[in-house]
Amino acid sequence: MLHSIDYYVIGIYIVLLMAVGLVVSMRQAKNSSLFVGDKSVGFTSIGMSIWGTNIGPSFLIASFGAAYSSGMLIANFEWFAWIFLLLLAMVFTPYYLSLNITTIPQFIKRRFGDTMYRLLTAYSLLTIVIIWLGGGLYVGGLLFSQFTGWELWASIALLLFVATSFTVVGGLAAVIVTDAFQTILMIVGMTALTVIGLYEIGGIDGLMAKTPPDYWHLIDFDSEQVPWLAFVLGYPVMGVWFWCTDQTIVQRVFAAKDLPTAQKGVLLAGVLKILPPFIFILPGIIFFALQPGLENTDGAFLAMVTDYMPVGFRGLMIAVLMAALISTLDSGLNSFSTIFTLDFYEPVVAKNRKMSNKETRMVGRIVTLVASVLAFFWALAMENVAANLFELLQSLIAFLAPPLTTLFLVGLFWRRVTAAAATYSFVISCIACITVGVFSTQGQTFGLFEQWPHFLMLSFILFVASCALTILLSLVTTHSEQEELLPSYKDLSTDNPNQSKSIWKGWLLLAVVMVALYGVFEYLAAQPAKSDLANDGSSLPATEVHVYRGLTPTFDGFVEKDEYQDATHIPNIHQWIARFSPVLSKDDLTGSVYIKHDGNYLYFAFDITDDLLYGIDTPRWLPEEYPNAHELTRDGFPWFGDGVEVLINAENNTSYQEGELNKGNSRSWQMVASTHKSRLGGIGVAGLLEGEERSMLSAWNNYQAWILNQDIEAMVQLKRDQDRQGSGYTMEWRIRPETTLEVSDGVFWSADLETTEMGLNIAISDLDLPEDGHANWGNFHHENWLSGERHKHTSLNQWGTMYLHGGVKKPVTKTNNYDE
């Protein structure tokens, strides 16, 4: 996959990075702290380092894949961050710098004493190893090995060596400078990917034409991926922890030369947070428009780079990937070294004796090396449980946040909180949050309820519970001698007159920009899809099918070309709207539909390619959700299996009551033809079955009467029995209009009527082995609909329109509609 030029590009990146890091390291070798960079770092380096640290390989892959599957919704996690960076800059940083601390645990020590200090030290070291070091290193090493073909251990070792080399010598100063260098590289590289993607799809107009409007939503109250209420409540809990109290992020402001510099640096990071949706998320949407139907969205980034990036640029993208990992990894290593040396070694091992600068640097370097070794083995260990652990790492962030967010918000702004209350509530909250996190990730409810709420909502609930516990314990305990009440925010503002008004103006301007961005994208989401517009710009129905009179076919289940050459042809079933997993290969599921009438009957013919027929090539397994699926009763499940659903709304009435898919009579109905069961033949015999609404006895009785009276018939033939190449089946439906197609009160369709509009939808079901449909309801592999919305069941107002013409088809100019 990689050309020699790509390897040269990667090599140049590594050499430049090592040179920058080691030059800074040598300059800082003797006269600077490993941990706060001698408090001389400028605001541009602080801002770019915060941004680069946040952009790890897990973020890159997850955001790209989420954008591919659900659009811009994931951008909320980026564009809400500025609010909490504002809190970091203007609320938390004045406290941090006024106390002259170098670690977050030291801040808690000043407020709550030694016990809470030791607990938070252990907590911080654990989260750095799990989230910043091991998890990121595994994902980055895995992707690097996939690009290069190297062994996983070799990829991890190379990345770790590069990150450790300058971190162990130059400390935070080297980390910040190299992070700034890598931030520029990531912005340039991902911008190149975005531009190439737009070129391939035909620019902005091409992207808009091939992307569903709902992909541009930032606010979606019905979203399952990012539920709006859960996000608004839960994200602040994560945001305060991640942006305001996590050592790996906050350590940058500790290195600022003064408060205004720190605040400007954080403001710059907030401005840079505008970029990720455009250079990390937008390419995922572009790739969806270029290649829809990708099942494993985690592989979307790798697939786009492989398919569209030219020689040399692939090497650039690997350099971007390495930059994303190393900027996160070196920050994690330095943070681990800082906390271990200053908050464990100095107070516990050295017993608070005055350590020389030389000893401190030596211990810090040794700890950095030890942490890198731990990260190496932890990353390799993750390979054995990666399928579960990767998801666990992502969701546990939400469950690690509530205890620390509670500790800082309540402890900082309510002086009544006692050390005992803070300690006990923190321990209890940590245990509760991790327990809930593990059980919810595994889906284990112990039968107490149907399913866990979204992890963001759980994070909020746990935060509220943690706050309540802290407040309650504070009311029944007293302050200890070790506690130190912190100055009020008003006092800090008075003591720091250098907080320039221009910084507040900068945050106000950023707020205006963010509100404008939300307005623009919600406007885009409200526009109809360009592919659904007529030439005059008006909306067209989702699908239009024109049906004409033709010759009477032989009704036997065989679909011959000469029988249906005069029928309307609807091709490419694999490209229809996917209710479950998208179809990735025509060998898996595809085919064509033919529709016509002969003046007496309406005919549907299906020529289906299906590589595996349920109950024929597979066992007749049953889903957990519906163990009585094969009962030929109202409690059964007619369309569980391979087959076809035909839905007709003869009166073409799109008004409906909530939940009503059809009426189950001659005005609006749905019926099913299966390859392995039928009303007339029973289990094992293909044919026609009753459809929805089965809950309505009148509909059930109508469907049975139509089958018994042959008002609607279906014949099915397996291709293997026809000596045809390939696998699958052919199927014919014959529908008697005078009993099943009531276009108005007492008026049934006939060829003597003028052109008649009816609602139409068709679904093709493909049920293979249970594992093929893993994570889908009922383990369905595919269910492709002619019309409707992706991932949603269709309702009457989402159907397409079938135009029934009484006469034969006249020559017409080919359009996008099915009228050929």
Side-chain angles (χ1 to χ4, degrees):
M1 184 176 70
L2 293 182
H3 191 274
S4 59
I5 297 177
D6 295 308
Y7 284 105
Y8 284 124
V9 172
I10 298 170
I12 291 171
Y13 157 73
I14 294 175
V15 170
L16 285 176
L17 177 64
M18 295 280 285
V20 171
L22 292 176
V23 166
V24 176
S25 299
M26 299 313 294
R27 289 179 178 175
Q28 305 290 333
K30 295 181 179 180
N31 54 9
S32 173
S33 168
L34 283 176
F35 310 124
V36 292
D38 206 24
K39 290 188 176 292
S40 60
V41 179
F43 80 91
T44 54
S45 295
I46 291 173
M48 288 193 289
S49 182
I50 290 175
W51 190 89
T53 298
N54 175 229
I55 307 296
S58 299
F59 166 83
L60 195 158
I61 300 306
S63 61
F64 198 98
Y68 182 95
S69 61
S70 58
M72 285 294 291
L73 274 176
I74 196 69
N76 284 297
F77 288 89
E78 294 302 300
W79 282 348
F80 262 61
W82 74 271
I83 299 172
F84 303 97
L85 287 167
L86 168 63
L87 288 177
L88 171 62
M90 311 308 291
V91 177
F92 284 90
T93 296
Y95 277 100
Y96 294 151
L97 296 190
S98 68
L99 296 176
N100 196 30
I101 59 175
T102 52
T103 70
I104 291 297
Q106 291 173 8
F107 176 81
I108 293 301
K109 180 182 180 180
R110 294 284 292 269
R111 177 65 177 87
F112 294 118
D114 287 338
T115 303
M116 192 62 244
Y117 171 51
R118 296 189 186 98
L119 280 173
L120 190 57
T121 297
Y123 172 91
S124 300
L125 292 174
L126 182 64
T127 56
I128 290 172
V129 170
I130 290 177
I131 295 174
W132 292 103
L133 297 181
L137 184 58
Y138 169 75
V139 176
L142 182 63
L143 292 171
F144 187 81
S145 67
Q146 290 174 348
F147 268 117
T148 61
W150 290 16
E151 293 290 336
L152 178 62
W153 71 265
S155 300
I156 290 175
L158 172 65
L159 296 169
L160 195 57
F161 170 77
V162 174
T164 306
S165 60
F166 52 83
T167 305
V168 74
V169 178
L172 183 62
V175 168
I176 289 177
V177 173
T178 53
D179 281 356
F181 165 73
Q182 294 183 114
T183 292
I184 296 172
L185 175 65
M186 284 190 279
I187 292 173
V188 171
M190 292 305 297
T191 300
L193 182 64
T194 305
V195 170
I196 289 174
L198 285 173
Y199 173 80
E200 291 287 343
I201 205 169
I204 298 296
D205 289 339
L207 176 63
M208 297 300 296
K210 296 179 181 179
T211 306
D214 62 359
Y215 260 49
W216 304 115
H217 270 303
L218 287 168
I219 302 173
D220 187 351
F221 291 94
D222 298 324
S223 170
E224 295 179 1
Q225 288 82 9
V226 187
W228 187 247
L229 179 61
F231 177 82
V232 170
L233 294 176
Y235 183 80
V237 181
M238 299 171 59
V240 170
W241 170 71
F242 186 86
W243 293 110
C244 302
T245 68
D246 184 77
Q247 176 73 24
T248 308
I249 294 293
V250 176
Q251 192 167 344
R252 276 104 189 101
V253 303
F254 294 157
K257 60 184 179 182
D258 52 32
L259 179 60
T261 299
Q263 292 176 324
K264 290 177 183 177
V266 179
L267 174 59
L268 176 60
V271 173
L272 290 175
K273 292 300 285 183
I274 295 174
L275 294 178
F278 293 108
I279 62 176
F280 292 104
I281 294 173
L282 184 60
I285 300 175
I286 293 172
F287 189 52
F288 165 78
L290 288 168
Q291 293 187 23
L294 188 65
E295 191 164 8
N296 179 18
T297 58
D298 287 342
F301 176 76
L302 179 64
M304 185 174 186
V305 172
T306 303
D307 293 348
Y308 295 102
M309 295 298 275
V311 170
F313 278 85
R314 295 177 189 174
L316 174 64
M317 297 315 299
I318 295 178
V320 168
L321 182 66
M322 294 177 67
L325 172 63
I326 292 171
S327 62
T328 298
L329 194 59
D330 57 16
S331 300
L333 288 170
N334 187 252
S335 297
F336 186 94
S337 174
T338 302
I339 292 178
F340 187 93
T341 303
L342 301 182
D343 297 325
F344 177 76
Y345 184 87
E346 185 174 347
V348 176
V349 179
K351 299 188 183 301
N352 288 319
R353 64 175 170 81
K354 180 66 176 178
M355 296 173 59
S356 66
N357 187 45
K358 181 178 180 181
E359 181 183 1
T360 302
R361 294 176 67 84
M362 181 188 69
V363 173
R365 286 166 175 164
I366 292 173
V367 171
T368 301
L369 291 173
V370 171
S372 67
V373 173
L374 288 175
F376 177 79
F377 287 106
W378 172 235
L380 287 180
M382 289 180 63
E383 184 179 14
N384 298 323
V385 287
N388 295 323
L389 190 55
F390 180 77
E391 295 180 4
L392 185 63
L393 285 170
Q394 301 307 306
S395 60
L396 275 184
I397 293 176
F399 300 112
L400 289 169
L404 199 59
T405 299
T406 300
L407 184 67
F408 271 78
L409 290 184
V410 180
L412 194 64
F413 298 111
W414 191 42
R415 295 193 172 195
R416 182 66 183 82
V417 178
T418 66
T423 302
Y424 287 117
S425 63
F426 183 80
V427 172
I428 295 171
S429 296
C430 282
I431 295 172
C433 289
I434 293 175
T435 301
V436 171
V438 171
F439 286 142
S440 64
T441 303
Q442 294 176 345
Q444 178 60 261
T445 65
F446 302 101
L448 299 176
F449 43 88
E450 185 175 349
Q451 65 180 17
W452 289 92
H454 192 275
F455 71 86
L456 286 168
M457 183 61 74
L458 282 175
S459 188
F460 173 74
I461 294 171
L462 290 166
F463 167 70
V464 171
S466 181
C467 288
L469 180 61
T470 304
I471 293 171
L472 178 63
L473 291 177
S474 295
L475 294 175
V476 297
T477 56
T478 59
H479 290 289
S480 69
E481 294 181 357
Q482 291 186 334
E483 296 180 41
E484 177 183 331
L485 295 180
L486 301 176
S488 68
Y489 182 73
K490 181 179 180 180
D491 293 338
L492 284 177
S493 300
T494 303
D495 294 340
N496 293 285
N498 290 328
Q499 290 193 70
S500 172
K501 292 183 179 180
S502 64
I503 299 177
W504 281 109
K505 291 179 181 178
W507 285 109
L508 179 61
L509 179 60
L510 178 59
V512 171
V513 171
M514 296 311 303
V515 171
L517 284 173
Y518 270 75
V520 168
F521 277 94
E522 288 306 303
Y523 171 79
L524 291 176
Q527 304 306 303
K530 290 190 175 183
S531 57
D532 292 339
L533 296 179
N535 291 332
D536 61 358
S538 60
S539 295
L540 285 172
T543 305
E544 292 184 359
V545 178
H546 292 261
V547 178
Y548 301 89
R549 182 194 291 266
L551 298 176
T552 301
T554 302
F555 183 67
D556 54 8
F558 296 101
V559 179
E560 306 294 344
K561 288 185 178 180
D562 57 350
E563 284 188 302
Y564 288 96
Q565 61 182 350
D566 54 359
T568 294
H569 176 213
I570 306 175
N572 300 324
I573 286 171
H574 64 283
Q575 294 179 350
W576 289 10
I577 298 167
R579 171 77 173 93
F580 297 115
S581 302
V583 179
L584 303 180
S585 169
K586 292 182 180 180
D587 294 331
D588 185 3
L589 179 69
T590 191
S592 296
V593 183
Y594 303 88
I595 313 174
K596 66 177 178 178
H597 69 85
D598 65 354
N600 296 312
Y601 288 93
L602 176 63
Y603 291 91
F604 287 79
F606 302 87
D607 188 342
I608 306 297
T609 296
D610 188 345
D611 63 340
L612 206 61
L613 295 180
Y614 170 81
I616 299 171
D617 299 318
T618 76
R620 194 171 280 112
W621 55 271
L622 292 171
E624 294 181 2
E625 298 91 336
Y626 228 125
N628 58 344
H630 291 328
E631 293 181 10
L632 297 178
T633 66
R634 288 174 65 195
D635 295 326
F637 195 2
W639 57 92
F640 189 78
D642 296 330
V644 173
E645 301 173 42
V646 173
L647 302 86
I648 293 181
N649 180 9
E651 63 181 350
N652 200 35
N653 183 359
T654 59
S655 64
Y656 65 101
Q657 307 228 346
E658 186 67 27
E660 181 187 18
L661 301 182
N662 44 70
K663 297 179 174 60
N665 56 28
S666 54
R667 293 172 179 259
S668 172
W669 54 264
Q670 170 201 31
M671 294 192 74
V672 184
S674 171
T675 60
H676 74 108
K677 58 184 175 182
S678 62
R679 166 56 54 194
L680 297 179
I683 302 296
V685 178
L688 201 61
L689 288 159
E690 303 85 352
E692 294 286 14
E693 294 280 325
R694 289 168 298 143
S695 60
M696 298 165 55
L697 181 60
S698 60
W700 178 262
N701 290 337
N702 282 333
Y703 294 155
Q704 287 204 334
W706 288 346
I707 294 173
L708 295 175
N709 295 333
Q710 298 183 322
D711 293 316
I712 301 180
E713 302 172 84
M715 296 283 289
V716 183
Q717 301 289 345
L718 302 183
K719 288 186 178 181
R720 68 190 64 186
D721 297 333
Q722 306 175 38
D723 295 328
R724 294 178 57 172
Q725 292 183 350
S727 57
Y729 56 91
T730 56
M731 179 185 297
E732 289 181 297
W733 287 51
R734 185 165 66 182
I735 301 168
R736 195 194 311 270
E738 59 260 32
T739 55
T740 61
L741 302 180
E742 187 176 5
V743 297
S744 61
D745 290 342
V747 179
F748 290 80
W749 183 83
S750 73
D752 297 330
L753 296 176
E754 295 181 356
T755 299
T756 305
E757 298 181 20
M758 296 185 183
L760 173 70
N761 214 341
I762 302 170
I764 311 296
S765 298
D766 180 19
L767 194 72
D768 294 337
L769 295 170
E771 56 267 26
D772 294 323
H774 176 68
N776 294 334
W777 189 94
N779 290 89
F780 269 84
H781 194 194
H782 305 300
E783 187 179 87
N784 278 21
W785 288 78
L786 177 64
S787 185
E789 278 188 72
R790 296 177 67 247
H791 306 309
K792 294 183 180 179
H793 222 332
T794 59
S795 299
L796 284 175
N797 64 345
Q798 297 171 315
W799 291 6
T801 302
M802 176 173 64
Y803 295 86
L804 275 175
H805 303 268
V808 298
K809 178 174 59 179
K810 298 178 181 178
V812 294
T813 303
K814 186 175 181 180
T815 70
N816 290 329
N817 301 323
Y818 298 114
D819 57 1
E820 55 206 44

